[in-house]
Amino acid sequence: MKDFEALKNIWHDQITLPKVGHEKVLKKIRKTRNGLSSKLLIEMFGMGIATAVISFVWIDGPFKMWTTHLAMIIFIACCIYYIVVLIDNYRRINYTNLIDKPEDYIIHLKKYKHDRYIFNTRKYSIYSVFLTVGFLLYFVEISMMTPLWVTLVGFVFTLLWIALCYFVLMRIYIKREESKLEDMIQNLERLQKQFEDNDL
Amino acid sequence: MSKEALFKEIFQANSKKIYHLCYGYTGDDETANDLMQETFMKVWQNLDKFRNQALISTWIYRIAVNTCLSHLRIEKRHPKDELTDTIIETKGEEISEKNEQVSALYKCIAQLEENERIIITMVLDEVPYVEIASISGISEGNLRVKIHRIKQKLTELYNRNERF
C-alpha cells in the first residue's frame, strides 16, 4: 500500500525527460523553409547550366537560318526568366525577420503560395508555349541538315517531353509544393487561433 | 536580454514540467514531445506579450493545457492509438523496475478525468496551489477539495493496480 507521498516520490524519481531542446523548437519553423529554399537553389543551378549549354551550342553551332537564332534567343530568354523568378522566390522565402511576427508571416506565406501557384500554372503554360515555338523554329534548320526521320523523331520526342512535364510532372510538383506550404500556413494559423481563443 | 536568451531561460525552467503534463495527459512519450514542442512554439511566437508578466509559468501551463485539449479533440475525430494499456504495458516491459512504477503511475493518471489529469500532474510537480487555481480557472478553496479527491482517487487506483 502506498500513500500519495510515495506516489510523489515515484514521480520525482522518473527519468522520463523531454527529447526536445529549445534549439529544436526554433529550428522546426526554419526547417520547412530551408527545405524549400534548398530546392529553389538546386533549380537555379540547373537552369544556370542549361543556359550555359544553350549559349555554347548557339555560339559554337553551324547555324545559318534566322529561325534557329530566334529559337536560341527564346530558349535563353526562357531560362533567364525562370532564374529571375527563382531568385525572387529564394529571396522571399529567406526573409528571416518574419519569425518575429507570426501574423505577418502567415500573410507572407499566403501571398507566396498564391504567387507560386500563378507561376506554376498560368506562367508555366506561357513558358511551355514559348519553349514549343522555340523548338519548332530550331527544328526548321535541323530538318535541312538531317534526314526527315531524325527531325521527326527529335521533334516528337521533344514535344512528348514538354507534354510530360506540363501534364504529369508539373502537376505532381504543384501538388507537393502546395501541400507543404498549406501545412505551414495551417499549423501557424491553428496556433494563432488557439492562442486568440485562449484569451491569454 | 535577447529574445533567444530569454526563450532559452524560459524553456530550461519549464520544459520538464510541461513535458510531464503532456505525458500525463496523453500517456505517450512521442506525442508528449510533440505537444511540448507545439507549446513552446506558441511561447516563442508570443514572447513579447509575456515579457512583463510576473508568472510566466502560469501562462505556459495554460498554453500547454489548451494545446493538449486541442490535440485530444483532433485525436477523437481521427482515433489512432488511443491511450491504451498496451502502449504503457509494452513500454513497461522494456524498462527497469523503477520505471515500471512510473509507467504504472502514468497508467493510473490516464484513468482520471481530463481536468484531473492536468491538476494532478501539476500537484506532483509541486506547482503552487495559487498557480494551479489560476491555470485551471478554479477558486483556491474548490481546488483544495478537488486535489484532495484526486489524490485519493489516484492512490486507490495505484494500489489496486499494484495488487494485480
Side-chain angles (χ1 to χ4, degrees), chain A residues 1-5 7-8 10-26 28-30 99-103 188 190-192 194-195 198-200, chain B residues 3-4 7-8 11 16 19-20 23 29 33 36-38 40-42 44-46 62-63 66 70 98-99 101-102 105-106 109 120-121 124-126 151 155 158-159 162:
Chain A
M1 285 288 281
K2 284 188 173 69
D3 61 6
F4 188 74
E5 281 309 305
L7 298 187
K8 214 167 167 178
I10 293 172
W11 180 264
H12 286 286
D13 280 345
Q14 65 176 313
I15 49 157
T16 42
L17 290 167
K19 290 170 190 158
V20 180
H22 80 282
E23 303 92 350
K24 203 180 167 187
V25 179
L26 293 176
K28 201 183 171 187
I29 296 175
R30 293 179 186 135
I99 204 159
D100 289 336
K101 299 172 188 170
E103 301 94 342
L188 284 165
R190 189 162 50 90
L191 298 189
Q192 182 100 351
Q194 277 176 25
F195 206 83
N198 297 344
D199 192 27
L200 285 170
Chain B
K3 192 177 176 181
E4 288 219 10
F7 181 73
K8 190 180 174 184
F11 188 91
K16 201 175 158 186
Y19 171 75
H20 285 162
Y23 201 170
D29 173 44
N33 273 297
M36 190 199 72
Q37 195 168 342
E38 202 174 319
F40 280 99
M41 274 173 79
K42 289 179 204 172
W44 168 264
Q45 286 178 338
N46 293 277
R62 281 187 66 189
I63 298 170
N66 284 305
S70 309
K98 206 172 188 179
N99 276 358
Q101 289 183 323
V102 177
L105 185 55
Y106 272 113
I109 292 170
I120 204 65
T121 46
L124 287 165
D125 265 329
E126 291 171 336
K151 277 181 178 178
T155 315
Y158 189 88
N159 287 324
E162 210 174 35

Coordinates of all heavy atoms in Angstrom, one line a residue, chain A residues 1-5 7-8 10-26 28-30 99-103 188 190-192 194-195 198-200, chain B residues 3-4 7-8 11 16 19-20 23 29 33 36-38 40-42 44-46 62-63 66 70 98-99 101-102 105-106 109 120-121 124-126 151 155 158-159 162:
Chain A
M1 N 0.8 -1.2 0.0 CA 0.0 0.0 0.0 C 0.9 1.3 0.0 O 1.8 1.4 0.8 CB -0.9 0.0 1.3 CG -2.1 -1.0 1.2 SD -3.3 -0.5 0.0 CE -4.2 0.8 1.0
K2 N 0.6 2.1 -0.9 CA 1.4 3.4 -1.0 C 0.4 4.6 -0.7 O -0.7 4.6 -1.2 CB 2.0 3.5 -2.4 CG 3.2 2.6 -2.6 CD 3.9 2.9 -3.9 CE 5.2 2.1 -4.0 NZ 5.0 0.7 -4.2
D3 N 1.0 5.6 -0.1 CA 0.2 6.8 0.1 C 0.6 7.8 -1.0 O 1.5 7.5 -1.8 CB 0.4 7.4 1.5 CG 1.8 7.7 1.8 OD1 2.6 7.6 0.9 OD2 2.1 8.1 3.0
F4 N 0.0 8.9 -1.0 CA 0.3 9.9 -2.0 C 1.7 10.4 -2.0 O 2.3 10.6 -3.1 CB -0.7 11.1 -2.0 CG -0.6 12.0 -3.1 CD1 -1.1 11.6 -4.4 CD2 0.1 13.2 -3.1 CE1 -1.0 12.4 -5.5 CE2 0.2 14.0 -4.2 CZ -0.3 13.6 -5.4
E5 N 2.3 10.5 -0.8 CA 3.7 10.9 -0.8 C 4.6 9.9 -1.5 O 5.6 10.3 -2.1 CB 4.1 11.1 0.7 CG 3.7 12.4 1.4 CD 4.0 13.6 0.6 OE1 5.2 13.8 0.2 OE2 3.1 14.4 0.2
L7 N 3.7 8.1 -4.0 CA 3.5 8.3 -5.4 C 4.3 9.5 -5.9 O 4.9 9.5 -7.0 CB 2.0 8.5 -5.8 CG 1.1 7.3 -5.4 CD1 -0.3 7.6 -6.0 CD2 1.5 6.0 -6.0
K8 N 4.3 10.5 -5.1 CA 5.1 11.7 -5.4 C 6.6 11.4 -5.6 O 7.3 11.9 -6.4 CB 4.9 12.7 -4.3 CG 4.9 14.2 -4.7 CD 4.4 15.0 -3.6 CE 4.6 16.5 -3.8 NZ 4.0 17.3 -2.8
I10 N 7.8 8.5 -6.4 CA 7.9 7.7 -7.7 C 8.0 8.7 -8.9 O 8.9 8.7 -9.7 CB 6.8 6.8 -7.9 CG1 6.8 5.6 -6.9 CG2 6.7 6.2 -9.3 CD1 5.6 4.7 -6.9
W11 N 7.1 9.7 -8.8 CA 7.0 10.7 -9.9 C 8.4 11.5 -10.0 O 8.9 11.7 -11.1 CB 5.9 11.7 -9.5 CG 5.7 12.8 -10.5 CD1 6.2 14.1 -10.4 CD2 4.9 12.8 -11.7 NE1 5.8 14.8 -11.5 CE2 5.0 14.0 -12.3 CE3 4.2 11.7 -12.3 CZ2 4.3 14.3 -13.5 CZ3 3.5 12.0 -13.5 CH2 3.6 13.3 -14.1
H12 N 8.9 11.8 -8.8 CA 10.2 12.6 -8.9 C 11.4 11.8 -9.2 O 12.4 12.3 -9.6 CB 10.4 13.4 -7.5 CG 9.5 14.5 -7.4 ND1 9.7 15.7 -8.1 CD2 8.3 14.7 -6.7 CE1 8.7 16.5 -7.8 NE2 7.9 15.9 -7.0
D13 N 11.3 10.5 -9.1 CA 12.4 9.6 -9.5 C 12.4 9.3 -11.0 O 13.3 8.7 -11.5 CB 12.2 8.2 -8.7 CG 12.8 8.4 -7.3 OD1 13.5 9.4 -7.0 OD2 12.5 7.5 -6.4
Q14 N 11.3 9.6 -11.6 CA 11.2 9.3 -13.1 C 12.4 9.9 -13.9 O 12.8 11.0 -13.6 CB 9.9 9.6 -13.6 CG 9.6 11.1 -13.7 CD 8.3 11.4 -14.4 OE1 8.0 10.9 -15.5 NE2 7.5 12.2 -13.8
I15 N 12.8 9.1 -14.9 CA 13.9 9.6 -15.7 C 13.3 10.0 -17.1 O 14.1 10.3 -18.0 CB 15.0 8.6 -15.8 CG1 14.5 7.2 -16.2 CG2 15.9 8.6 -14.6 CD1 15.5 6.4 -16.9
T16 N 12.0 10.0 -17.2 CA 11.4 10.4 -18.5 C 11.6 11.9 -18.7 O 11.1 12.7 -18.0 CB 9.9 10.1 -18.5 OG1 9.4 10.5 -17.2 CG2 9.6 8.7 -18.8
L17 N 12.5 12.2 -19.6 CA 12.8 13.6 -19.9 C 12.4 14.0 -21.3 O 12.4 13.1 -22.2 CB 14.3 13.8 -19.7 CG 14.8 13.8 -18.3 CD1 16.3 13.7 -18.3 CD2 14.3 14.9 -17.4
P18 N 12.1 15.3 -21.5 CA 11.7 15.7 -22.9 C 12.9 15.5 -23.8 O 14.1 15.7 -23.5 CB 11.4 17.2 -22.7 CG 12.0 17.6 -21.4 CD 12.0 16.4 -20.6
K19 N 12.6 15.1 -25.1 CA 13.7 14.8 -26.0 C 13.9 16.1 -26.9 O 14.6 16.0 -27.9 CB 13.3 13.6 -26.9 CG 13.4 12.3 -26.1 CD 12.8 11.2 -27.0 CE 12.6 10.0 -26.1 NZ 11.6 9.1 -26.7
V20 N 13.1 17.1 -26.6 CA 13.2 18.3 -27.5 C 13.8 19.4 -26.7 O 13.5 19.7 -25.6 CB 11.7 18.7 -27.9 CG1 11.7 19.9 -28.8 CG2 11.0 17.5 -28.6
G21 N 14.8 20.0 -27.4 CA 15.5 21.1 -26.8 C 15.0 22.4 -27.4 O 14.3 22.4 -28.4
H22 N 15.4 23.6 -26.7 CA 14.8 24.8 -27.2 C 15.3 25.2 -28.7 O 14.6 25.8 -29.4 CB 15.2 26.0 -26.3 CG 16.6 26.5 -26.4 ND1 17.6 25.9 -25.9 CD2 17.0 27.6 -27.0 CE1 18.7 26.6 -26.2 NE2 18.4 27.6 -26.9
E23 N 16.5 24.6 -29.0 CA 17.0 24.9 -30.4 C 16.1 24.2 -31.4 O 15.9 24.7 -32.5 CB 18.4 24.4 -30.5 CG 19.5 24.9 -29.6 CD 19.6 24.1 -28.3 OE1 18.8 23.1 -28.2 OE2 20.5 24.3 -27.6
K24 N 15.6 23.0 -31.0 CA 14.8 22.2 -31.9 C 13.5 22.9 -32.2 O 13.0 22.9 -33.4 CB 14.5 20.8 -31.3 CG 14.2 19.8 -32.4 CD 14.0 18.4 -31.9 CE 13.3 17.6 -32.9 NZ 12.9 16.3 -32.4
V25 N 12.9 23.6 -31.2 CA 11.7 24.3 -31.4 C 11.9 25.4 -32.4 O 11.1 25.6 -33.4 CB 11.2 24.9 -30.1 CG1 9.9 25.6 -30.3 CG2 11.0 23.8 -29.1
L26 N 13.0 26.1 -32.3 CA 13.3 27.2 -33.2 C 13.6 26.7 -34.6 O 13.3 27.4 -35.6 CB 14.4 28.1 -32.7 CG 14.1 28.9 -31.4 CD1 15.4 29.6 -30.9 CD2 13.0 29.9 -31.6
K28 N 12.4 24.1 -36.0 CA 11.3 23.5 -36.6 C 10.6 24.4 -37.7 O 10.4 23.9 -38.8 CB 10.2 23.1 -35.6 CG 9.3 22.0 -36.1 CD 8.2 21.6 -35.2 CE 7.2 20.7 -35.9 NZ 6.1 20.4 -35.1
I29 N 10.4 25.6 -37.4 CA 9.8 26.5 -38.4 C 10.8 26.8 -39.5 O 10.4 26.8 -40.7 CB 9.4 27.9 -37.7 CG1 8.3 27.6 -36.7 CG2 8.9 28.9 -38.8 CD1 7.9 28.9 -35.9
R30 N 12.0 27.0 -39.1 CA 13.1 27.3 -40.1 C 13.3 26.1 -41.1 O 13.6 26.3 -42.2 CB 14.4 27.7 -39.5 CG 14.3 29.0 -38.7 CD 15.6 29.3 -38.0 NE 15.5 30.5 -37.2 CZ 16.0 30.5 -36.0 NH1 16.7 29.5 -35.4 NH2 15.9 31.6 -35.3
I99 N 9.9 35.5 -38.6 CA 9.7 34.6 -37.4 C 9.3 35.4 -36.2 O 8.6 34.9 -35.3 CB 11.0 33.8 -37.2 CG1 10.6 32.5 -36.4 CG2 12.1 34.6 -36.4 CD1 11.6 31.4 -36.6
D100 N 9.6 36.7 -36.2 CA 9.2 37.5 -35.0 C 7.7 37.9 -35.1 O 7.1 38.2 -34.0 CB 10.0 38.8 -35.0 CG 11.4 38.5 -34.6 OD1 11.7 37.5 -33.9 OD2 12.3 39.3 -35.0
K101 N 7.1 37.9 -36.3 CA 5.7 38.3 -36.4 C 4.9 37.3 -37.1 O 4.9 37.2 -38.3 CB 5.7 39.6 -37.2 CG 6.4 40.8 -36.6 CD 6.5 41.9 -37.6 CE 7.4 43.0 -37.2 NZ 7.6 44.0 -38.2
P102 N 4.3 36.4 -36.3 CA 3.5 35.3 -36.9 C 2.4 35.8 -37.8 O 2.2 35.1 -38.9 CB 3.0 34.6 -35.7 CG 3.2 35.4 -34.5 CD 4.3 36.3 -34.8
E103 N 1.7 36.9 -37.5 CA 0.6 37.3 -38.3 C 1.2 37.7 -39.7 O 0.6 37.3 -40.7 CB -0.1 38.6 -37.7 CG -0.7 38.4 -36.4 CD 0.3 38.8 -35.2 OE1 1.5 38.9 -35.5 OE2 -0.2 38.9 -34.1
L188 N 0.5 27.3 -38.5 CA 0.7 28.6 -37.9 C -0.7 29.3 -37.6 O -0.9 29.9 -36.5 CB 1.5 29.6 -38.8 CG 3.0 29.3 -38.8 CD1 3.6 29.9 -40.0 CD2 3.6 29.8 -37.6
R190 N -3.5 27.7 -37.0 CA -4.1 26.9 -35.9 C -3.5 27.4 -34.5 O -4.2 27.7 -33.6 CB -3.8 25.4 -36.0 CG -4.5 24.5 -35.1 CD -4.5 23.1 -35.6 NE -3.2 22.7 -36.0 CZ -2.3 22.1 -35.2 NH1 -2.7 21.8 -33.9 NH2 -1.1 21.7 -35.6
L191 N -2.2 27.6 -34.5 CA -1.5 28.1 -33.3 C -2.0 29.4 -32.9 O -2.4 29.7 -31.8 CB 0.0 28.1 -33.4 CG 0.7 26.8 -33.7 CD1 2.2 27.1 -33.6 CD2 0.4 25.7 -32.7
Q192 N -2.1 30.3 -33.9 CA -2.6 31.6 -33.8 C -4.0 31.7 -33.2 O -4.3 32.4 -32.3 CB -2.5 32.3 -35.1 CG -2.9 33.8 -35.1 CD -1.7 34.6 -35.1 OE1 -0.6 34.1 -35.0 NE2 -1.8 35.9 -35.2
Q194 N -5.7 29.2 -31.7 CA -5.8 28.7 -30.3 C -5.4 29.8 -29.3 O -6.0 29.9 -28.3 CB -4.9 27.5 -30.2 CG -5.4 26.2 -30.7 CD -4.4 25.1 -30.6 OE1 -3.5 25.1 -29.8 NE2 -4.6 24.1 -31.5
F195 N -4.3 30.5 -29.7 CA -3.8 31.5 -28.8 C -4.9 32.6 -28.6 O -5.1 33.0 -27.5 CB -2.5 32.1 -29.3 CG -1.7 32.6 -28.2 CD1 -0.9 31.8 -27.5 CD2 -1.8 33.9 -27.9 CE1 -0.1 32.2 -26.5 CE2 -1.0 34.4 -26.8 CZ -0.2 33.6 -26.1
N198 N -7.7 31.3 -26.5 CA -7.3 31.1 -25.1 C -7.4 32.4 -24.3 O -7.4 32.3 -23.1 CB -5.9 30.6 -25.0 CG -5.7 29.2 -25.6 OD1 -6.7 28.6 -25.9 ND2 -4.5 28.9 -25.9
D199 N -7.5 33.5 -25.1 CA -7.6 34.8 -24.4 C -6.5 35.0 -23.4 O -6.7 35.4 -22.3 CB -9.0 35.0 -23.7 CG -9.2 36.4 -23.3 OD1 -8.6 37.3 -23.9 OD2 -9.9 36.6 -22.3
L200 N -5.3 34.7 -23.8 CA -4.1 34.8 -22.9 C -3.5 36.2 -22.9 O -3.5 36.8 -23.9 CB -3.0 33.8 -23.3 CG -3.3 32.3 -22.9 CD1 -2.3 31.4 -23.6 CD2 -3.3 32.1 -21.4
Chain B
K3 N 15.9 37.9 -27.3 CA 14.7 37.1 -27.3 C 15.1 35.6 -27.2 O 14.5 34.9 -26.5 CB 14.0 37.3 -28.6 CG 12.6 36.7 -28.7 CD 11.8 37.0 -29.9 CE 10.5 36.3 -29.9 NZ 9.7 36.6 -31.1
E4 N 16.2 35.2 -27.9 CA 16.6 33.8 -27.9 C 17.1 33.4 -26.5 O 16.8 32.3 -26.0 CB 17.7 33.6 -28.9 CG 17.2 33.6 -30.3 CD 17.8 32.6 -31.2 OE1 18.5 31.7 -30.7 OE2 17.6 32.7 -32.4
F7 N 14.1 33.1 -24.3 CA 13.4 31.9 -24.6 C 14.1 30.6 -24.0 O 13.5 29.8 -23.4 CB 13.3 31.7 -26.1 CG 12.5 30.5 -26.6 CD1 11.1 30.4 -26.4 CD2 13.2 29.4 -27.1 CE1 10.4 29.3 -26.8 CE2 12.5 28.3 -27.5 CZ 11.1 28.2 -27.3
K8 N 15.4 30.6 -24.1 CA 16.2 29.5 -23.6 C 16.0 29.4 -22.1 O 15.8 28.3 -21.6 CB 17.7 29.7 -23.9 CG 18.6 28.5 -23.6 CD 20.0 28.9 -24.0 CE 20.9 27.7 -23.5 NZ 22.3 28.0 -23.7
F11 N 12.5 28.1 -21.4 CA 12.5 26.7 -21.8 C 13.1 25.8 -20.8 O 12.5 24.8 -20.3 CB 13.2 26.5 -23.2 CG 13.0 25.1 -23.8 CD1 11.9 24.9 -24.6 CD2 13.8 24.1 -23.5 CE1 11.7 23.6 -25.1 CE2 13.6 22.8 -24.0 CZ 12.6 22.6 -24.8
K16 N 10.6 20.6 -18.5 CA 10.4 19.3 -17.9 C 9.0 19.2 -17.3 O 8.3 18.2 -17.6 CB 11.4 19.2 -16.7 CG 11.7 17.8 -16.3 CD 12.8 17.7 -15.3 CE 12.7 16.4 -14.5 NZ 13.7 16.4 -13.4
Y19 N 6.5 18.9 -20.1 CA 6.6 17.6 -20.7 C 5.8 16.6 -19.9 O 5.1 15.7 -20.4 CB 8.1 17.2 -20.9 CG 8.3 15.7 -21.2 CD1 8.0 15.3 -22.6 CD2 8.7 14.8 -20.3 CE1 8.2 14.0 -22.9 CE2 8.9 13.5 -20.6 CZ 8.6 13.1 -21.9 OH 8.8 11.7 -22.3
H20 N 6.0 16.7 -18.5 CA 5.3 15.8 -17.6 C 3.8 16.0 -17.8 O 3.0 15.0 -17.8 CB 5.7 16.1 -16.2 CG 7.0 15.6 -15.8 ND1 7.8 16.0 -14.7 CD2 7.8 14.6 -16.4 CE1 8.9 15.4 -14.7 NE2 9.0 14.5 -15.7
Y23 N 2.8 14.4 -21.0 CA 2.9 12.9 -20.9 C 1.8 12.4 -20.1 O 1.1 11.4 -20.4 CB 4.3 12.5 -20.3 CG 4.7 11.1 -20.6 CD1 6.0 10.7 -20.3 CD2 3.9 10.2 -21.2 CE1 6.5 9.4 -20.5 CE2 4.3 8.9 -21.4 CZ 5.6 8.5 -21.1 OH 6.1 7.3 -21.3
D29 N 4.9 9.1 -25.0 CA 6.2 9.9 -25.0 C 6.3 10.7 -26.2 O 6.6 11.9 -26.2 CB 7.3 8.9 -24.9 CG 8.7 9.5 -25.0 OD1 8.8 10.6 -24.4 OD2 9.6 9.0 -25.7
N33 N 6.2 14.8 -26.5 CA 7.3 15.7 -27.0 C 6.7 16.6 -28.1 O 7.1 17.8 -28.1 CB 8.4 14.8 -27.6 CG 9.4 14.4 -26.6 OD1 10.1 15.2 -26.0 ND2 9.5 13.1 -26.3
M36 N 4.7 19.3 -26.4 CA 5.6 20.2 -25.7 C 6.2 21.2 -26.7 O 6.3 22.4 -26.4 CB 6.7 19.5 -24.9 CG 7.4 20.4 -24.0 SD 9.0 19.7 -23.5 CE 9.9 19.8 -25.0
Q37 N 6.6 20.6 -27.8 CA 7.3 21.4 -28.8 C 6.3 22.5 -29.3 O 6.6 23.7 -29.5 CB 7.7 20.5 -30.0 CG 8.6 21.2 -31.0 CD 9.3 20.2 -31.9 OE1 9.2 19.0 -31.6 NE2 9.8 20.6 -33.0
E38 N 5.0 22.1 -29.6 CA 4.0 23.0 -30.0 C 3.7 24.1 -29.0 O 3.6 25.3 -29.4 CB 2.7 22.2 -30.3 CG 1.8 22.9 -31.3 CD 0.6 22.1 -31.7 OE1 0.8 20.8 -31.9 OE2 -0.5 22.6 -31.8
F40 N 5.8 25.3 -26.8 CA 6.9 26.3 -26.8 C 7.0 27.1 -28.1 O 7.6 28.2 -28.1 CB 8.3 25.6 -26.4 CG 8.4 25.4 -24.9 CD1 8.1 24.2 -24.4 CD2 8.7 26.5 -24.1 CE1 8.2 24.0 -23.0 CE2 8.8 26.3 -22.7 CZ 8.5 25.1 -22.2
M41 N 6.5 26.5 -29.2 CA 6.4 27.3 -30.4 C 5.5 28.5 -30.2 O 5.7 29.6 -30.6 CB 5.9 26.5 -31.6 CG 7.0 25.7 -32.3 SD 6.3 24.6 -33.5 CE 5.9 25.7 -34.8
K42 N 4.4 28.3 -29.5 CA 3.4 29.3 -29.2 C 4.0 30.3 -28.2 O 3.8 31.5 -28.3 CB 2.2 28.7 -28.5 CG 1.3 28.0 -29.5 CD 0.1 27.4 -28.8 CE -0.4 26.2 -29.5 NZ -1.5 25.5 -28.7
W44 N 7.2 31.1 -28.0 CA 8.1 31.9 -28.8 C 7.4 32.9 -29.6 O 7.8 34.1 -29.6 CB 8.9 31.0 -29.8 CG 9.7 31.7 -30.8 CD1 9.3 32.0 -32.1 CD2 11.0 32.3 -30.7 NE1 10.2 32.7 -32.7 CE2 11.3 32.9 -31.9 CE3 11.9 32.4 -29.6 CZ2 12.5 33.6 -32.1 CZ3 13.1 33.1 -29.8 CH2 13.4 33.7 -31.0
Q45 N 6.3 32.5 -30.2 CA 5.5 33.4 -31.1 C 5.0 34.6 -30.3 O 4.7 35.7 -30.8 CB 4.4 32.7 -31.8 CG 5.0 31.8 -32.9 CD 3.9 31.1 -33.6 OE1 2.8 30.8 -33.1 NE2 4.1 30.6 -34.8
N46 N 4.7 34.4 -29.0 CA 4.0 35.4 -28.2 C 4.9 35.9 -27.1 O 4.4 36.5 -26.1 CB 2.7 34.8 -27.7 CG 1.8 34.6 -28.8 OD1 1.1 35.5 -29.2 ND2 1.7 33.4 -29.3
R62 N -1.0 27.2 -19.2 CA -2.3 27.3 -19.8 C -2.2 27.0 -21.3 O -3.1 26.4 -21.9 CB -2.9 28.7 -19.6 CG -3.5 28.9 -18.2 CD -4.1 30.2 -18.0 NE -5.3 30.3 -18.8 CZ -6.0 31.5 -19.0 NH1 -5.6 32.5 -18.3 NH2 -7.0 31.6 -19.7
I63 N -1.1 27.5 -21.9 CA -1.0 27.1 -23.3 C -0.8 25.6 -23.5 O -1.5 25.0 -24.4 CB 0.3 27.8 -23.9 CG1 0.2 29.3 -23.8 CG2 0.6 27.4 -25.3 CD1 1.5 30.1 -24.1
N66 N -4.2 23.9 -23.1 CA -5.0 24.1 -24.3 C -4.5 23.4 -25.5 O -5.3 22.9 -26.3 CB -5.1 25.6 -24.6 CG -6.1 26.3 -23.7 OD1 -7.2 25.9 -23.5 ND2 -5.6 27.3 -23.0
S70 N -6.7 20.6 -27.4 CA -6.9 20.7 -28.9 C -6.4 19.4 -29.5 O -7.1 18.9 -30.5 CB -6.1 21.9 -29.5 OG -6.4 23.0 -28.8
K98 N 12.0 0.4 -11.5 CA 11.7 1.7 -11.0 C 10.8 2.5 -12.0 O 9.8 3.1 -11.7 CB 13.0 2.5 -10.9 CG 13.0 3.6 -9.9 CD 14.4 4.2 -9.6 CE 14.4 5.2 -8.5 NZ 15.7 5.7 -8.2
N99 N 11.2 2.3 -13.3 CA 10.4 2.9 -14.3 C 9.1 2.2 -14.5 O 8.2 2.9 -15.0 CB 11.2 3.0 -15.6 CG 12.1 4.2 -15.6 OD1 12.1 5.0 -14.7 ND2 12.9 4.4 -16.7
Q101 N 7.2 1.4 -12.1 CA 6.4 2.1 -11.2 C 5.9 3.4 -11.8 O 4.8 3.8 -11.6 CB 7.2 2.4 -9.9 CG 7.4 1.1 -9.1 CD 8.1 1.5 -7.8 OE1 9.0 2.3 -7.7 NE2 7.8 0.7 -6.7
V102 N 6.8 4.1 -12.5 CA 6.5 5.4 -13.1 C 5.4 5.1 -14.2 O 4.4 5.8 -14.3 CB 7.7 6.1 -13.8 CG1 7.3 7.3 -14.5 CG2 8.7 6.4 -12.7
L105 N 2.2 4.5 -12.7 CA 1.6 5.8 -12.2 C 1.0 6.6 -13.4 O -0.2 7.1 -13.3 CB 2.7 6.6 -11.6 CG 2.3 8.0 -10.9 CD1 1.2 7.8 -9.9 CD2 3.5 8.6 -10.2
Y106 N 1.7 6.6 -14.5 CA 1.1 7.2 -15.7 C -0.2 6.6 -16.1 O -1.1 7.2 -16.6 CB 2.1 7.3 -16.8 CG 3.1 8.4 -16.8 CD1 4.4 8.3 -16.6 CD2 2.6 9.7 -17.0 CE1 5.3 9.4 -16.6 CE2 3.4 10.8 -17.0 CZ 4.8 10.7 -16.8 OH 5.6 11.7 -16.7
I109 N -2.9 7.7 -13.9 CA -3.2 9.1 -14.3 C -4.1 9.1 -15.5 O -5.1 9.9 -15.6 CB -2.0 10.0 -14.5 CG1 -1.2 10.2 -13.2 CG2 -2.3 11.3 -15.1 CD1 0.2 10.8 -13.3
I120 N -3.5 16.9 -11.3 CA -2.6 16.1 -10.5 C -1.1 16.1 -11.0 O -0.2 16.0 -10.2 CB -3.1 14.6 -10.5 CG1 -2.6 13.9 -9.2 CG2 -2.8 13.8 -11.7 CD1 -3.1 14.4 -7.9
T121 N -0.9 16.2 -12.3 CA 0.5 16.3 -12.8 C 1.1 17.6 -12.3 O 2.3 17.6 -11.9 CB 0.6 16.3 -14.4 OG1 -0.3 17.2 -14.9 CG2 0.4 14.9 -14.9
L124 N 1.8 16.9 -8.6 CA 3.0 16.0 -8.4 C 4.3 16.8 -8.7 O 5.3 16.5 -8.2 CB 2.9 14.8 -9.4 CG 1.9 13.7 -9.0 CD1 1.6 12.8 -10.2 CD2 2.4 12.9 -7.8
D125 N 4.2 17.8 -9.6 CA 5.4 18.6 -9.9 C 5.5 19.8 -9.0 O 6.4 20.7 -9.2 CB 5.3 19.1 -11.4 CG 6.1 18.2 -12.3 OD1 7.1 17.6 -11.8 OD2 5.7 18.1 -13.5
E126 N 4.7 19.8 -7.9 CA 4.8 20.8 -6.9 C 4.6 22.2 -7.3 O 5.2 23.1 -6.9 CB 6.1 20.6 -6.1 CG 6.1 19.4 -5.3 CD 7.4 19.0 -4.6 OE1 8.5 19.5 -5.1 OE2 7.4 18.3 -3.7
K151 N -6.2 13.1 -5.3 CA -5.1 12.4 -4.6 C -5.6 11.0 -4.1 O -4.9 10.0 -4.3 CB -4.6 13.2 -3.4 CG -3.6 14.3 -3.7 CD -3.2 15.0 -2.4 CE -2.2 16.0 -2.6 NZ -1.8 16.7 -1.4
T155 N -4.3 7.4 -5.6 CA -3.7 6.4 -4.7 C -4.5 5.1 -4.7 O -3.8 4.1 -4.8 CB -3.7 7.0 -3.2 OG1 -3.3 8.4 -3.3 CG2 -2.8 6.2 -2.3
Y158 N -3.7 3.4 -8.0 CA -2.4 2.8 -8.0 C -2.3 1.5 -7.1 O -1.7 0.5 -7.6 CB -1.4 3.9 -7.5 CG 0.1 3.4 -7.7 CD1 0.7 3.7 -8.9 CD2 0.7 2.7 -6.7 CE1 2.0 3.3 -9.1 CE2 2.0 2.2 -6.9 CZ 2.7 2.5 -8.1 OH 4.0 2.1 -8.3
N159 N -2.8 1.6 -6.0 CA -2.8 0.4 -5.1 C -3.5 -0.8 -5.6 O -3.1 -1.9 -5.5 CB -3.2 0.8 -3.7 CG -2.2 1.7 -2.9 OD1 -1.0 1.5 -3.1 ND2 -2.7 2.7 -2.2
E162 N -1.5 -2.2 -8.3 CA -0.3 -2.9 -7.8 C -0.6 -4.3 -7.3 O 0.2 -5.2 -7.3 CB 0.3 -2.1 -6.6 CG 1.8 -2.3 -6.5 CD 2.4 -1.3 -5.5 OE1 1.8 -1.1 -4.5 OE2 3.5 -0.9 -5.7

